Amino acid sequence: MNSEENPKDEERRPQPSQPVSQPLPQAQPPAPDGPQESDSQEPGSGAAPRSGRQRLAAALWPPWVTRAQLIVAVLLFVLGLGLAIQVRSNSDESALRGARQEDLVRILDELDNRTQRLEDEKQRLEDQRTELENSSDQAEEARKQTLQKEQQLGILAGTVAAEGPGITLTIQDPAKTVESDMLLDTIQELRAAGAEAIQVNGIRVVASTFFSGSAGDIEVDGKRITAPYTFEVIGEPQDLEPALNIPGGVVQTLEKEQAAATVERSEEIVVDALRPAERPDYARSSPQ
């Protein structure tokens, strides 16, 4: 007997279970060490999206420095400091290293001449002492040496005129670039080379002489002088001229300032500008 199945029985019959596919969880990237900011803002949050420059600044600051990077930076700093000191020490000797052979020979000759002058002075003083000790008339010998010493001190003090071999240094300053300190350096260089008497534009140079003023308006001991500046110097010409022409010396320095310096040797230089003899206010001669 065939009978139709009741639709309700069909609904009650259990249905085969269907596999339900669930999405697998995705692995999340590890969180970075430092705080991170999202590249974009949540929609509707009210903040405008950041530009590329802002994202780059956020990635670079604050900087994250490891201990190894800090050690490398310190080592590089120490290495750079050492190289800078080495370069500076080498540049101090560049003037002589770059000098020509004839200039180096001339510098050595000048040093030898200075040494010889000191040796001669030492020998002269020793001879004077021997004469005083051996002279039968020690009073007369002492008087004669005192007069000689007075003449020498008078030349140094500028109270007596002097003459002898030497040089004439003329400095032309058309651009008015020569400063007072350059003229003072010239005096110091001449004295170091053995100058015994100097006058500049008719003014006697002594131990107390000073230079003041600016370029084009220079004064010597309060007296104004103008270019050309003429130095009349008594001393050994073979020592004075090379001292002015050494590399980095007076002549080269003046040429860099667009000034011209000429040196002429002479067998007879007269230094006749005089300074008044001044009595010291406090200093007195000592018996020793």
Side-chain angles (χ1 to χ4, degrees), residues 10 65 82 86 139 146 158 177-178 181 200 239 270-271 284 286:
E10 184 70 22
V65 181
Q86 182 68 25
T146 300
T177 57
V178 177
D181 59 341
V200 181
D239 297 336
V270 177
V271 176
R284 297 290 183 270
S286 173

Side-chain angles (χ1 to χ4, degrees), residues 120-137:
D120 294 342
E121 180 67 15
K122 176 184 176 183
Q123 185 62 42
R124 184 180 65 81
L125 294 175
E126 291 178 350
D127 293 342
Q128 288 182 357
R129 183 185 64 181
T130 302
E131 290 177 2
L132 287 174
E133 292 175 350
N134 299 333
S135 176
S136 58
D137 190 355

Side-chain angles (χ1 to χ4, degrees), residues 4-5 21 32 38 60 101 109 116 120 124 138 142 195 203-204 223 231 236 263 266 271 287:
E4 295 180 353
E5 295 181 357
S21 62
S38 59
L60 295 179
Q101 183 177 1
D109 290 341
Q116 186 61 42
D120 294 342
R124 184 180 65 81
Q138 295 184 359
I203 301 176
R204 189 68 169 265
K223 299 178 182 179
F231 292 71
E236 182 63 47
V263 181
S266 177
V271 176

Side-chain angles (χ1 to χ4, degrees), residues 46-263:
R50 295 185 303 172
S51 63
R53 180 180 299 177
Q54 292 174 336
R55 292 196 299 271
L56 178 61
L60 295 179
W61 187 263
W64 297 94
V65 181
T66 64
R67 181 178 180 182
Q69 291 172 339
L70 182 60
I71 294 175
V72 171
V74 172
L75 292 177
L76 290 177
F77 173 77
V78 174
L79 178 60
L81 182 61
L83 290 176
I85 295 175
Q86 182 68 25
V87 170
R88 183 173 181 178
S89 62
N90 292 336
S91 62
D92 294 339
E93 302 176 358
S94 60
L96 290 179
R97 290 183 177 179
R100 297 175 299 176
Q101 183 177 1
E102 52 267 27
D103 294 332
L104 294 175
V105 172
R106 185 168 55 187
I107 294 173
L108 291 176
D109 290 341
E110 181 184 352
L111 294 176
D112 292 339
N113 292 332
R114 292 182 183 180
T115 303
Q116 186 61 42
R117 286 198 306 271
L118 294 176
E119 291 291 340
D120 294 342
E121 180 67 15
K122 176 184 176 183
Q123 185 62 42
R124 184 180 65 81
L125 294 175
E126 291 178 350
D127 293 342
Q128 288 182 357
R129 183 185 64 181
T130 302
E131 290 177 2
L132 287 174
E133 292 175 350
N134 299 333
S135 176
S136 58
D137 190 355
Q138 295 184 359
E140 179 63 25
E141 185 65 27
R143 189 184 66 83
K144 183 175 67 175
Q145 293 190 12
T146 300
L147 291 176
Q148 293 177 354
K149 195 66 174 179
E150 181 182 1
Q151 289 292 325
Q152 295 174 0
L153 294 177
I155 292 175
L156 296 177
T159 57
V160 298
E163 61 181 14
I167 63 170
T168 299
L169 170 64
T170 305
I171 300 176
Q172 302 286 346
D173 185 22
K176 295 184 178 181
T177 57
V178 177
E179 299 285 348
S180 58
D181 59 341
M182 298 179 185
L183 300 183
L184 180 60
D185 290 343
T186 302
I187 295 294
Q188 299 293 355
E189 193 68 36
L190 290 170
R191 283 174 172 168
E196 297 177 351
I198 307 173
Q199 68 181 24
V200 181
N201 286 29
I203 301 176
R204 189 68 169 265
V205 176
V206 294
S208 60
T209 296
F210 63 92
F211 289 77
S212 60
S214 57
D217 188 19
I218 296 178
E219 294 182 355
V220 180
D221 291 337
K223 299 178 182 179
R224 189 173 184 272
I225 61 174
T226 58
Y229 307 112
T230 303
F231 292 71
E232 294 173 301
V233 187
I234 295 178
E236 182 63 47
Q238 287 79 7
D239 297 336
L240 297 175
E241 183 180 5
L244 298 176
N245 289 310
I246 62 174
V250 172
V251 173
Q252 192 174 72
T253 301
L254 292 172
E255 289 176 351
K256 291 181 180 179
E257 298 297 331
Q258 300 178 354
T262 57
V263 181

